[in-house]
Amino acid sequence: MARTDAIHESEIPTKSRGVQELSEIEQQILDYMVQYLRANTFQPSIRDIGERFEIKSTKTVSEYLQALEAKGYLERHPSRSRGVKILGVDLGGDAVSVPCFSSIAVATSGDASPESLLSLDPQFGSREGSFLVRAKAGELGVLGVSEGDLVLISPIELGELEDGAVIVIGSSDAASFFRFLRSGSSFSFEDLKPGGRTTVSEQPASTGLVGRVAGFYRKMDEVGSLNLTPH
Amino acid sequence: MARTDAIHESEIPTKSRGVQELSEIEQQILDYMVQYLRANTFQPSIRDIGERFEIKSTKTVSEYLQALEAKGYLERHPSRSRGVKILGVDLGGDAVSVPCFSSIAVATSGDASPESLLSLDPQFGSREGSFLVRAKAGELGVLGVSEGDLVLISPIELGELEDGAVIVIGSSDAASFFRFLRSGSSFSFEDLKPGGRTTVSEQPASTGLVGRVAGFYRKMDEVGSLNLTPH
DNA sequence: CTACTGTATATATATACAGTAG
DNA sequence: CTACTGTATATATATACAGTAG
């Protein structure tokens, strides 16, 4: 029941202000398809859609689906029954569930429960095992990250790391940000703390690579969180 | 892919107390069906299942489904294609689906299809009707936004706007960013383009408020996208 | 009995064709 | 032109039938 509202309020983007217009009925059909899918675990047939909207010809419904496909909301396949691929719908399967911690120390300590749990589209760079930490003042200033920003850290293998990537190295009692520098077969790690120095290492086995900074998000809900001074 | 583990760990309850135990293959088939549904938004056909498990006769697969139905995990309907009702599965539905456009001009033009559709947790500030645009160089530099960042724009009413909020004002042919300034009962809009000026307005009816900048995300997958110069 | 193969068949379903109305 | 109706048709698909192997 809880979720019913959200579905009725059209979870598929209305593209608010004239953005990529769906007609009223196109939007309703798309919403119906998602609602039906969620409720039944299978899709409505074109006939089901027609019945719902009192459209008597399957051709007409098919044309609406064609319009939705042209506008990028669907992908169809000739003759696949109840088999439209609805794009941009989260069925709970591919979004990664990402815990959010108040600091990187807390996140890596191993025994803290997350501040919250968000679902993050993998397109943002999240993987299985990713987590978010709230940035402290100055912690990642060189990357344009401000205090309070949510920094996404995704697990990675040393072999996957590109030169220049920002990584987290830590143990259970301390963790911090480094820039990874690759020169030939040896690596070095530049401490990103103000005044931090470069450490050279060839044996990365025990360095405790937690992950790599995959991105960050700054939420601008309170004006106070805006950075009003140009820099 | 992301939650594949979770699925393989079998999200479908085994009905705890010896009640109707599933055989190994029955469990695998059920998991596959859910996994497939999540990935594609439509169900696998009996033939799809057969292919996956190298079972060559549709009859055999059908018998497994019959067994799953008898044990209370499914409800079937004669001859409904890709239309098994899978019981006890949560198909999600709380994340907001957000279209992503290459620029704010494209987003507000009304006839562009989105670059992609991402699902965004409402905790990031997304609402029904929100969308993402890729920032152009300098466009929102004062906020710390760099070229290529994904800027989240969420619909908002004028009455909800706080003093200092960054908003998008536009028509179908042009749109840009402004800072909203409230002084008593009158508003002013400071153009955020370099060298932009402040416009005072008391009649907001026709201003074309598209939405408010609710946040931005910077993905750091390529080193080139990192802002290496401190500012 | 279970666990299949392999073929045949009924049908649900998407699509195509031929129109009509405004 | 859009927004349909109504019929016909190809086909994807679920099911049934007839077996085989262990």
Side-chain angles (χ1 to χ4, degrees), chain A residues 25-90:
Chain A
I25 185 125
E26 284 166 355
Q27 183 75 57
Q28 282 182 339
I29 287 175
L30 188 53
D31 289 343
Y32 172 71
M33 292 176 76
V34 176
Q35 184 191 346
Y36 186 107
L37 174 60
R38 287 227 160 88
N40 298 291
T41 72
F42 53 87
Q43 285 191 10
S45 66
I46 280 188
R47 261 154 265 256
D48 289 331
I49 298 170
E51 242 170 67
R52 162 62 235 272
F53 293 97
E54 287 169 357
I55 295 170
K56 286 178 190 117
S57 176
T58 58
K59 178 82 184 304
T60 309
V61 178
S62 190
E63 281 167 348
Y64 281 126
L65 296 191
Q66 209 175 317
L68 283 165
E69 185 176 32
K71 291 177 179 179
Y73 290 83
L74 300 179
E75 268 171 35
R76 292 192 309 163
H77 184 279
S79 286
R80 194 210 277 133
S81 299
R82 299 173 184 272
V84 167
K85 176 150 197 173
I86 306 173
L87 303 174
V89 179
D90 183 10

Side-chain angles (χ1 to χ4, degrees), chain B residues 12 55 62 148 156 166 188-189 209:
Chain B
I12 306 294
I55 297 169
S62 191
I156 195 163
V166 176
S188 55
F189 304 97
L209 175 63

Side-chain angles (χ1 to χ4, degrees), chain A residues 3 6-7 9-21 36-43 48 70-75 77 79-97 115-128 132 141-146 149-150 152 162-166 179 212-224 226-231, chain B residues 1-5 7 36-43 75 80-87 89-99 101 106-114 116-126 128-132 141-145 149-150 152 155-157 162-166 170 179 208-223 226-231:
Chain A
R3 203 175 287 134
I7 290 165
E9 276 165 27
S10 176
E11 126 185 52
I12 304 295
T14 318
K15 305 304 175 53
S16 55
R17 215 74 10 189
V19 180
Q20 179 59 6
E21 293 285 326
Y36 186 107
L37 174 60
R38 287 227 160 88
N40 298 291
T41 72
F42 53 87
Q43 285 191 10
D48 289 331
K71 291 177 179 179
Y73 290 83
L74 300 179
E75 268 171 35
H77 184 279
S79 286
R80 194 210 277 133
S81 299
R82 299 173 184 272
V84 167
K85 176 150 197 173
I86 306 173
L87 303 174
V89 179
D90 183 10
L91 257 25
D94 47 53
V96 181
S97 194
E115 231 178 55
S116 61
L117 207 61
L118 316 192
S119 81
L120 239 201
D121 195 296
Q123 290 191 61
F124 290 113
S126 58
R127 299 176 166 193
E128 212 48 57
L132 288 160
V142 282
L143 302 181
V145 175
S146 296
D149 290 357
L150 289 170
L152 177 65
E162 293 171 35
D163 182 54
V166 177
R179 190 183 298 285
R212 152 182 174 279
V213 173
F216 70 91
Y217 183 77
R218 184 174 309 162
K219 189 178 177 184
M220 290 163 171
D221 44 357
E222 301 133 42
V223 177
L226 290 176
N227 187 349
L228 297 174
T229 49
H231 41 206
Chain B
M1 215 59 169
R3 201 182 280 153
T4 311
D5 300 332
I7 291 165
Y36 187 105
L37 173 59
R38 286 227 160 92
N40 299 291
T41 73
F42 53 88
Q43 286 190 9
E75 269 171 33
R80 195 209 276 133
S81 300
R82 298 172 185 273
V84 167
K85 176 150 196 173
I86 306 172
L87 276 359
V89 181
D90 181 14
L91 258 24
D94 24 70
V96 180
S97 189
V98 175
F101 297 94
V106 170
T108 53
S109 72
D111 49 61
S113 55
S116 60
L117 281 160
L118 314 192
S119 78
L120 240 200
D121 196 294
Q123 289 190 62
F124 289 113
S126 58
E128 219 42 63
S130 293
F131 59 95
L132 288 160
V142 281
L143 304 180
V145 175
D149 289 357
L150 289 171
L152 177 65
I156 195 163
E157 296 299 316
E162 293 170 36
D163 182 55
V166 176
R179 191 182 300 285
L209 175 63
V210 173
R212 143 181 184 282
V213 173
F216 70 91
Y217 184 76
R218 185 175 310 162
K219 189 178 177 185
M220 290 163 170
D221 44 357
E222 301 135 41
V223 177
L226 291 176
N227 188 350
L228 298 173
T229 49
H231 40 205

